[in-house]
Amino acid sequence: MSVLLSRKMSGPEVEKISTHAFLCEGPHWDHDAETLYYVDIKGPTVHNYVPARNKHTAMKNDGVHILLVIPLEGTKDKFVITVGRNVAILTWDGESSTPTDVKYVSAVDNEKELQDNRLNDGKADPTGRLWAGME
């Protein structure tokens, strides 16, 4: 189950936004789009929720476990994602149940003994640098 915690004049309010999730992580609020993005790492799915329209959309990844999703600044359908040790650009319209494209752009921990590591949860800083934890 996915929930959204919002602050109202009368105090915090918890709202159920999805029942189709197993282990949600990496919430990212896109202020411009007024949309919440997050991943279900067990699903494996990428979700978005638009509170103003009470609309929830999930994109199935066919076995590819996306561990974080951050909208790519200046675009409407591109997102920085991580898959295992890889950083990629996801093209997704936010409406369909499948992605348009996934392009891998970088990998970390390429040493043989680190092959099982994965980039897990992260954010972009104000200058656009991606910071992610390793697991």
Side-chain angles (χ1 to χ4, degrees):
M1 173 175 63
S2 303
V3 297
L4 174 67
L5 175 64
S6 60
R7 195 114 168 95
K8 303 281 184 179
M9 290 280 222
S10 60
E13 180 179 305
V14 177
E15 175 184 344
K16 183 173 159 181
I17 61 175
S18 171
T19 59
H20 308 289
F22 299 100
L23 182 56
C24 296
E25 290 192 356
H28 180 89
W29 177 253
D30 183 334
H31 180 73
D32 294 335
E34 296 185 354
T35 301
L36 175 68
Y37 295 97
Y38 58 98
V39 296
D40 177 0
I41 64 172
K42 297 278 188 183
T45 50
V46 174
H47 296 260
N48 73 11
Y49 177 67
V50 183
R53 297 185 346 216
N54 194 29
K55 182 170 181 168
H56 174 260
T57 304
M59 180 198 73
K60 189 78 169 159
N61 300 317
D62 295 327
V64 176
H65 294 272
I66 295 175
L67 300 167
L68 68 85
V69 60
I70 302 170
L72 188 59
E73 188 175 41
T75 68
K76 291 187 180 192
D77 66 345
K78 295 195 184 309
F79 303 85
V80 174
I81 62 170
T82 60
V83 179
R85 298 174 299 104
N86 300 290
V87 177
I89 303 299
L90 165 72
T91 304
W92 176 46
D93 63 9
E95 298 286 329
S96 61
S97 61
T98 58
T100 304
D101 187 43
V102 176
K103 182 180 287 188
Y104 291 86
V105 295
S106 185
V108 298
D109 286 355
N110 293 318
E111 296 84 0
K112 187 175 183 174
E113 65 275 7
L114 302 174
Q115 295 293 305
D116 292 332
N117 286 358
R118 63 185 188 163
L119 291 161
N120 186 37
D121 215 351
K123 295 290 179 206
D125 70 15
T127 65
R129 293 176 297 187
L130 177 64
W131 293 84
M134 292 298 293
E135 179 178 74

